[in-house]
Amino acid sequence: DSKDLVFSAPIMAGFLGAAKATNTTLQKQINQQLDWLIENNVCAYKTALPAASNTAATVDISVLWRCSVTQPDWRAASADLIDYATMLLGYAENWLPSGFYTEFAI
């Protein structure tokens, strides 16, 4: 019931596991939507990460995070790993074998 329509891209990715198991069309649609967000810089926070541990070089990346549909200038105050874990684990479903989490995480 957020009047500013705040949503979370990481939570979208969290549904990839369920989509992969039941509906590959939905899995493709979620991936296309996440790709569109990154490519169009929507809800994408830009940051630099070290390129390698033995150099001073950096790599620029975009990280999808919470944003407001109606207030595009609004940014979440922080990006917490507890929330971002859904993005990492869900997006990993694109490359992990079926049943990976059931077999190794439970």
Side-chain angles (χ1 to χ4, degrees), residues 1 5 8-9 32 34 36 42 49 51 61 64-65 68 71 84 86 89 91 94 99:
D1 292 341
L5 298 176
S8 174
Q32 288 171 343
L34 291 169
W36 185 91
V42 176
L49 295 177
I61 65 163
L64 293 177
W65 197 239
S68 170
Q71 294 186 23
Y84 199 67
T86 57
L89 297 174
Y91 205 60
N94 289 309

Side-chain angles (χ1 to χ4, degrees), residues 18-29:
K20 180 180 179 181
T22 60
N23 185 338
T24 56
T25 302
L26 180 58
Q27 179 190 14
K28 289 177 186 173
Q29 182 182 16

Side-chain angles (χ1 to χ4, degrees), residues 10-94:
I11 290 177
M12 287 173 58
F15 283 98
L16 284 168
K20 180 180 179 181
T22 60
N23 185 338
T24 56
T25 302
L26 180 58
Q27 179 190 14
K28 289 177 186 173
Q29 182 182 16
I30 293 170
N31 278 308
Q32 288 171 343
Q33 291 171 342
L34 291 169
D35 290 343
W36 185 91
L37 291 170
I38 290 173
E39 291 166 4
N40 291 282
N41 199 33
V42 176
C43 300
Y45 290 51
K46 297 197 184 281
T47 190
L49 295 177
S53 60
N54 58 349
T55 69
T58 60
V59 175
D60 293 329
I61 65 163
S62 292
V63 176
L64 293 177
W65 197 239
R66 293 175 300 200
C67 71
S68 170
V69 174
T70 61
Q71 294 186 23
D73 293 333
W74 178 85
R75 293 289 191 195
S78 65
D80 304 316
L81 188 56
I82 189 96
D83 297 319
Y84 199 67
T86 57
M87 179 83 174
L88 296 175
L89 297 174
Y91 205 60
E93 282 283 346
N94 289 309

